[in-house]
Coordinates of all heavy atoms in Angstrom, one line a residue:
P199 N -19.5 17.1 -58.4 CA -20.6 17.9 -59.1 C -21.9 17.8 -58.3 O -22.1 16.7 -57.6 CB -20.6 17.1 -60.4 CG -20.1 15.8 -60.1 CD -19.1 15.9 -59.0
I200 N -22.7 18.8 -58.5 CA -24.0 18.8 -57.8 C -24.9 17.8 -58.5 O -24.8 17.6 -59.7 CB -24.6 20.2 -57.8 CG1 -24.9 20.7 -59.2 CG2 -23.8 21.2 -57.0 CD1 -25.6 22.0 -59.2
P201 N -25.8 17.1 -57.8 CA -26.7 16.2 -58.4 C -27.7 16.9 -59.3 O -28.1 18.0 -59.0 CB -27.4 15.5 -57.2 CG -27.2 16.5 -56.1 CD -26.0 17.2 -56.2
K202 N -28.1 16.2 -60.3 CA -29.0 16.8 -61.3 C -30.5 16.5 -60.7 O -30.8 15.4 -60.3 CB -29.0 16.1 -62.7 CG -27.6 16.6 -63.3 CD -27.6 16.0 -64.8 CE -26.4 16.4 -65.5 NZ -26.3 15.9 -66.9
F203 N -31.2 17.6 -60.5 CA -32.5 17.6 -60.0 C -33.5 17.1 -61.0 O -33.4 17.5 -62.2 CB -33.0 18.9 -59.3 CG -32.0 19.4 -58.3 CD1 -31.2 20.5 -58.4 CD2 -31.8 18.7 -57.1 CE1 -30.3 21.0 -57.5 CE2 -30.9 19.1 -56.2 CZ -30.2 20.2 -56.4
E204 N -34.5 16.3 -60.5 CA -35.6 15.9 -61.3 C -36.9 16.3 -60.7 O -37.1 16.1 -59.6 CB -35.5 14.4 -61.7 CG -34.2 14.0 -62.4 CD -34.2 12.5 -62.6 OE1 -35.1 11.8 -62.2 OE2 -33.3 12.0 -63.2
T205 N -37.8 16.8 -61.5 CA -39.1 17.2 -61.0 C -40.2 16.6 -61.9 O -39.9 16.5 -63.1 CB -39.3 18.7 -60.8 OG1 -39.1 19.4 -62.1 CG2 -38.3 19.3 -59.8
E206 N -41.4 16.5 -61.4 CA -42.5 16.0 -62.2 C -42.9 17.1 -63.2 O -42.9 18.3 -62.8 CB -43.6 15.6 -61.4 CG -43.3 14.5 -60.4 CD -44.4 14.2 -59.5 OE1 -45.5 14.9 -59.7 OE2 -44.3 13.3 -58.6
E207 N -43.1 16.7 -64.4 CA -43.6 17.7 -65.4 C -44.9 18.4 -65.1 O -45.0 19.6 -65.4 CB -43.8 17.0 -66.8 CG -42.4 16.5 -67.3 CD -42.6 15.8 -68.7 OE1 -43.8 15.8 -69.2 OE2 -41.7 15.3 -69.3
E208 N -45.8 17.8 -64.4 CA -47.0 18.4 -64.0 C -47.0 19.4 -62.8 O -47.9 20.1 -62.5 CB -48.0 17.3 -63.6 CG -48.3 16.3 -64.8 CD -47.2 15.3 -64.9 OE1 -46.4 15.1 -64.1 OE2 -47.4 14.5 -65.9
K209 N -45.8 19.3 -62.2 CA -45.7 20.3 -61.0 C -45.7 21.7 -61.3 O -45.0 22.2 -62.1 CB -44.3 19.9 -60.2 CG -44.2 20.6 -58.9 CD -43.0 20.2 -58.2 CE -42.9 20.8 -56.8 NZ -41.7 20.4 -56.1
Q210 N -46.6 22.4 -60.7 CA -46.8 23.8 -60.9 C -46.0 24.6 -59.8 O -46.3 24.3 -58.6 CB -48.2 24.2 -61.0 CG -49.0 23.5 -62.2 CD -48.5 24.0 -63.5 OE1 -48.1 25.1 -63.7 NE2 -48.5 23.0 -64.4
L211 N -45.2 25.6 -60.2 CA -44.5 26.4 -59.3 C -45.2 27.7 -58.9 O -45.5 28.4 -60.0 CB -43.1 26.6 -59.7 CG -42.2 25.3 -59.9 CD1 -40.8 25.7 -60.4 CD2 -42.1 24.6 -58.7
D212 N -45.5 28.0 -57.7 CA -46.2 29.2 -57.5 C -45.2 30.3 -57.2 O -45.1 30.8 -56.1 CB -47.1 29.0 -56.2 CG -48.0 30.3 -56.0 OD1 -48.2 31.1 -56.9 OD2 -48.5 30.3 -54.9
Y213 N -44.4 30.7 -58.1 CA -43.3 31.6 -58.0 C -43.4 32.7 -59.1 O -43.9 32.5 -60.2 CB -41.9 31.1 -58.1 CG -41.5 30.0 -57.2 CD1 -41.1 28.8 -57.5 CD2 -41.6 30.3 -55.8 CE1 -40.7 27.8 -56.6 CE2 -41.3 29.3 -54.8 CZ -40.8 28.1 -55.2 OH -40.4 27.2 -54.3
I214 N -43.1 34.0 -58.7 CA -43.0 35.1 -59.7 C -41.5 35.3 -59.9 O -40.8 35.6 -58.9 CB -43.7 36.2 -59.3 CG1 -45.2 36.0 -59.1 CG2 -43.5 37.5 -60.2 CD1 -46.1 37.2 -58.5
F215 N -41.0 35.2 -61.1 CA -39.6 35.3 -61.4 C -39.2 36.7 -61.8 O -39.7 37.2 -62.8 CB -39.1 34.2 -62.5 CG -39.5 32.8 -62.0 CD1 -40.6 32.2 -62.5 CD2 -38.8 32.2 -61.0 CE1 -41.0 30.9 -62.2 CE2 -39.1 30.9 -60.7 CZ -40.1 30.2 -61.2
E216 N -38.1 37.2 -61.3 CA -37.6 38.4 -61.8 C -36.1 38.4 -61.5 O -35.7 38.3 -60.3 CB -38.2 39.6 -61.0 CG -37.7 41.0 -61.3 CD -38.0 41.3 -62.8 OE1 -39.1 40.9 -63.3 OE2 -37.1 42.0 -63.5
P217 N -35.2 38.4 -62.5 CA -35.4 38.7 -63.8 C -36.0 37.4 -64.6 O -36.8 37.5 -65.5 CB -34.1 39.1 -64.4 CG -33.2 38.5 -63.5 CD -33.7 38.4 -62.1
S218 N -35.4 36.2 -64.4 CA -35.8 35.0 -65.0 C -35.4 33.8 -64.2 O -34.5 33.9 -63.3 CB -35.2 34.9 -66.5 OG -33.8 34.7 -66.4
K219 N -36.0 32.6 -64.5 CA -35.6 31.4 -63.8 C -34.2 31.1 -64.1 O -33.4 30.7 -63.2 CB -36.5 30.3 -64.3 CG -37.9 30.3 -63.7 CD -38.6 29.0 -63.8 CE -39.0 28.8 -65.3 NZ -39.8 27.5 -65.4
L220 N -33.7 31.3 -65.3 CA -32.4 30.9 -65.7 C -31.4 31.8 -64.9 O -30.4 31.2 -64.3 CB -32.1 31.2 -67.1 CG -30.8 30.8 -67.7 CD1 -30.4 29.4 -67.5 CD2 -30.7 31.2 -69.2
E221 N -31.5 33.0 -64.7 CA -30.6 33.9 -64.1 C -30.7 33.6 -62.6 O -29.6 33.7 -61.9 CB -31.1 35.4 -64.3 CG -30.8 35.9 -65.8 CD -29.3 35.8 -66.1 OE1 -28.4 36.1 -65.2 OE2 -29.0 35.4 -67.2
I222 N -31.8 33.3 -62.1 CA -31.9 33.0 -60.6 C -31.2 31.8 -60.3 O -30.4 31.7 -59.3 CB -33.4 32.9 -60.3 CG1 -34.1 34.3 -60.3 CG2 -33.6 32.4 -58.8 CD1 -35.6 34.3 -60.2
V223 N -31.3 30.7 -61.1 CA -30.6 29.4 -60.8 C -29.1 29.7 -60.9 O -28.4 29.1 -60.1 CB -31.1 28.4 -61.8 CG1 -30.2 27.2 -61.7 CG2 -32.6 28.0 -61.5
K224 N -28.7 30.5 -61.9 CA -27.2 30.7 -62.0 C -26.6 31.3 -60.7 O -25.5 31.2 -60.3 CB -26.9 31.5 -63.2 CG -27.1 30.7 -64.5 CD -26.7 31.7 -65.7 CE -26.8 30.9 -67.0 NZ -26.4 31.8 -68.2
D225 N -27.5 32.2 -60.1 CA -27.1 32.9 -58.9 C -27.3 32.0 -57.7 O -26.4 32.1 -56.7 CB -27.9 34.1 -58.8 CG -27.5 34.9 -57.5 OD1 -26.4 35.4 -57.5 OD2 -28.4 35.1 -56.6
L226 N -28.3 31.1 -57.7 CA -28.5 30.3 -56.5 C -27.6 29.1 -56.3 O -27.2 28.8 -55.2 CB -29.9 29.7 -56.6 CG -31.1 30.7 -56.2 CD1 -32.4 29.8 -56.3 CD2 -30.9 31.1 -54.8
I227 N -27.0 28.6 -57.5 CA -26.1 27.5 -57.4 C -24.9 27.8 -56.5 O -24.5 27.1 -55.6 CB -25.8 26.9 -58.7 CG1 -27.0 26.2 -59.3 CG2 -24.6 25.9 -58.6 CD1 -26.8 25.7 -60.7
P228 N -24.1 28.8 -56.9 CA -22.9 29.1 -56.0 C -23.3 29.5 -54.5 O -22.6 29.0 -53.6 CB -22.3 30.4 -56.7 CG -22.7 30.3 -58.1 CD -24.2 29.7 -58.0
K229 N -24.5 30.2 -54.4 CA -24.8 30.5 -53.0 C -25.2 29.2 -52.2 O -24.9 29.2 -51.1 CB -26.1 31.4 -53.0 CG -26.6 31.9 -51.7 CD -27.6 32.9 -51.8 CE -27.2 34.2 -52.4 NZ -28.3 35.3 -52.4
S230 N -26.0 28.3 -52.9 CA -26.3 27.0 -52.3 C -25.1 26.2 -51.9 O -25.1 25.6 -50.8 CB -27.2 26.2 -53.2 OG -27.5 24.9 -52.7
L231 N -24.0 26.2 -52.7 CA -22.8 25.5 -52.4 C -22.1 26.1 -51.3 O -21.5 25.4 -50.4 CB -21.9 25.4 -53.6 CG -22.3 24.5 -54.8 CD1 -21.6 24.9 -56.1 CD2 -22.3 23.1 -54.5
K232 N -22.1 27.4 -51.2 CA -21.5 28.1 -50.1 C -22.2 27.8 -48.8 O -21.6 27.5 -47.7 CB -21.4 29.6 -50.3 CG -20.5 30.0 -51.4 CD -20.6 31.5 -51.7 CE -19.7 32.0 -52.9 NZ -19.9 33.4 -53.2
M233 N -23.6 27.8 -48.9 CA -24.4 27.5 -47.7 C -24.2 26.0 -47.3 O -24.1 25.7 -46.1 CB -25.9 27.7 -48.1 CG -26.7 27.5 -46.9 SD -26.4 28.4 -45.4 CE -26.6 30.1 -46.1
Q234 N -23.9 25.0 -48.2 CA -23.7 23.7 -47.9 C -22.5 23.6 -47.1 O -22.4 22.9 -46.1 CB -23.7 22.8 -49.2 CG -23.4 21.4 -48.9 CD -23.2 20.6 -50.1 OE1 -23.4 21.1 -51.3 NE2 -23.0 19.2 -50.0
L235 N -21.3 24.2 -47.6 CA -20.1 24.1 -46.8 C -20.3 24.8 -45.4 O -19.7 24.3 -44.4 CB -19.0 24.7 -47.6 CG -17.6 24.7 -47.0 CD1 -17.1 23.3 -46.7 CD2 -16.6 25.5 -47.9
Y236 N -20.9 25.9 -45.4 CA -21.0 26.7 -44.2 C -21.9 25.9 -43.2 O -21.5 25.8 -41.9 CB -21.9 28.0 -44.4 CG -22.0 28.9 -43.2 CD1 -20.9 29.2 -42.4 CD2 -23.2 29.4 -42.8 CE1 -21.0 30.0 -41.3 CE2 -23.3 30.3 -41.7 CZ -22.3 30.6 -40.9 OH -22.4 31.4 -39.8
K237 N -22.9 25.2 -43.6 CA -23.8 24.3 -42.7 C -22.9 23.2 -42.2 O -23.0 22.8 -41.0 CB -25.0 23.8 -43.4 CG -25.9 22.9 -42.6 CD -27.1 22.4 -43.4 CE -26.8 21.5 -44.5 NZ -26.2 20.1 -43.9
A238 N -22.0 22.6 -43.1 CA -21.1 21.5 -42.6 C -20.2 21.9 -41.5 O -19.9 21.3 -40.5 CB -20.4 20.9 -43.8
L239 N -19.6 23.2 -41.7 CA -18.7 23.7 -40.8 C -19.4 24.0 -39.4 O -18.8 23.9 -38.3 CB -18.0 24.9 -41.3 CG -16.8 24.6 -42.3 CD1 -16.5 25.9 -43.1 CD2 -15.7 24.0 -41.6
R240 N -20.6 24.6 -39.5 CA -21.4 24.9 -38.3 C -21.8 23.6 -37.6 O -21.8 23.5 -36.4 CB -22.6 25.7 -38.7 CG -22.4 27.1 -38.8 CD -22.2 27.7 -37.4 NE -21.9 29.2 -37.5 CZ -21.4 29.8 -36.5 NH1 -21.2 29.3 -35.3 NH2 -21.2 31.1 -36.6
D241 N -22.1 22.6 -38.3 CA -22.5 21.3 -37.8 C -21.3 20.7 -37.0 O -21.4 20.2 -35.8 CB -22.8 20.3 -38.8 CG -24.3 19.9 -38.8 OD1 -24.9 20.1 -37.8 OD2 -24.8 19.3 -39.7
S242 N -20.1 20.9 -37.6 CA -18.9 20.3 -37.1 C -18.5 21.1 -35.8 O -18.1 20.5 -34.8 CB -17.7 20.3 -38.0 OG -16.5 19.8 -37.4
F243 N -18.7 22.4 -35.9 CA -18.4 23.3 -34.7 C -19.2 22.9 -33.5 O -18.8 22.8 -32.4 CB -18.6 24.7 -35.2 CG -18.0 25.7 -34.1 CD1 -16.6 25.7 -33.8 CD2 -18.8 26.7 -33.6 CE1 -16.1 26.7 -33.0 CE2 -18.4 27.5 -32.7 CZ -17.0 27.6 -32.4
A244 N -20.5 22.8 -33.7 CA -21.4 22.4 -32.6 C -21.1 21.0 -32.1 O -21.2 20.8 -30.9 CB -22.8 22.5 -33.0
S245 N -20.8 20.1 -33.0 CA -20.5 18.6 -32.6 C -19.2 18.7 -31.7 O -19.2 17.9 -30.8 CB -20.3 17.9 -33.9 OG -21.4 17.7 -34.6
E246 N -18.2 19.5 -32.1 CA -17.0 19.6 -31.4 C -17.2 19.9 -29.9 O -16.8 19.3 -28.9 CB -16.0 20.6 -32.0 CG -14.7 20.8 -31.1 CD -13.9 21.9 -31.6 OE1 -14.2 22.5 -32.7 OE2 -12.9 22.3 -30.9
H247 N -18.0 21.0 -29.7 CA -18.4 21.4 -28.3 C -19.2 20.4 -27.5 O -19.1 20.3 -26.4 CB -18.9 22.8 -28.3 CG -18.0 23.9 -28.7 ND1 -16.8 24.1 -28.1 CD2 -18.0 24.7 -29.8 CE1 -16.2 25.2 -28.7 NE2 -16.9 25.5 -29.7
G248 N -20.1 19.8 -28.2 CA -20.9 18.8 -27.6 C -20.1 17.6 -27.2 O -20.2 17.1 -26.1
A249 N -19.1 17.2 -28.1 CA -18.3 16.1 -27.8 C -17.3 16.4 -26.7 O -17.1 15.6 -25.7 CB -17.4 15.7 -29.0
R250 N -16.8 17.6 -26.6 CA -15.9 18.0 -25.5 C -16.6 18.2 -24.2 O -16.1 17.8 -23.1 CB -15.2 19.4 -25.9 CG -14.2 19.7 -24.9 CD -13.3 21.0 -25.3 NE -12.4 20.5 -26.4 CZ -12.6 20.9 -27.6 NH1 -13.5 21.8 -28.0 NH2 -11.7 20.5 -28.5
M251 N -17.8 18.6 -24.2 CA -18.6 18.8 -23.1 C -18.9 17.4 -22.4 O -18.7 17.2 -21.2 CB -19.9 19.5 -23.3 CG -20.7 19.7 -22.0 SD -22.4 20.4 -22.3 CE -23.2 18.9 -22.9
T252 N -19.2 16.5 -23.3 CA -19.5 15.1 -22.8 C -18.2 14.4 -22.4 O -18.2 13.7 -21.3 CB -20.1 14.3 -24.0 OG1 -21.3 14.9 -24.4 CG2 -20.4 12.8 -23.5
A253 N -17.1 14.6 -23.0 CA -15.9 14.0 -22.6 C -15.4 14.5 -21.3 O -14.9 13.9 -20.4 CB -14.8 14.2 -23.7
M254 N -15.5 15.9 -21.1 CA -15.1 16.5 -19.8 C -16.1 16.1 -18.7 O -15.5 16.0 -17.5 CB -15.0 18.0 -20.0 CG -13.9 18.5 -20.9 SD -12.3 17.9 -20.4 CE -12.0 16.5 -21.4
H255 N -17.3 15.9 -19.0 CA -18.2 15.4 -17.9 C -17.9 14.1 -17.5 O -17.8 13.8 -16.2 CB -19.7 15.5 -18.5 CG -20.7 14.8 -17.6 ND1 -21.1 15.5 -16.4 CD2 -21.4 13.7 -17.6 CE1 -21.9 14.8 -15.8 NE2 -22.1 13.6 -16.5
K256 N -17.5 13.2 -18.4 CA -17.1 11.8 -18.0 C -15.8 11.9 -17.3 O -15.6 11.1 -16.4 CB -17.0 10.9 -19.3 CG -18.3 10.6 -20.0 CD -18.1 9.8 -21.1 CE -19.4 9.5 -21.9 NZ -20.3 8.6 -21.2

Side-chain angles (χ1 to χ4, degrees):
I200 61 174
K202 293 184 178 180
F203 301 117
E204 298 179 358
T205 58
E206 300 176 1
E207 295 181 358
E208 299 80 5
K209 186 174 182 178
Q210 298 295 323
L211 300 179
D212 187 19
Y213 297 129
I214 297 175
F215 302 102
E216 179 64 34
S218 68
K219 284 193 290 186
L220 181 60
E221 292 298 322
I222 291 173
V223 169
K224 285 182 178 179
D225 182 63
L226 279 181
I227 288 174
K229 184 176 292 186
S230 178
L231 289 170
K232 293 175 183 177
M233 181 57 64
Q234 181 183 357
L235 181 60
Y236 184 52
K237 182 176 70 67
L239 284 165
R240 275 291 176 190
D241 245 346
S242 179
F243 190 61
S245 298
E246 176 192 351
H247 291 301
R250 183 170 291 110
M251 186 188 75
T252 302
M254 292 302 99
H255 175 71
K256 292 180 182 291

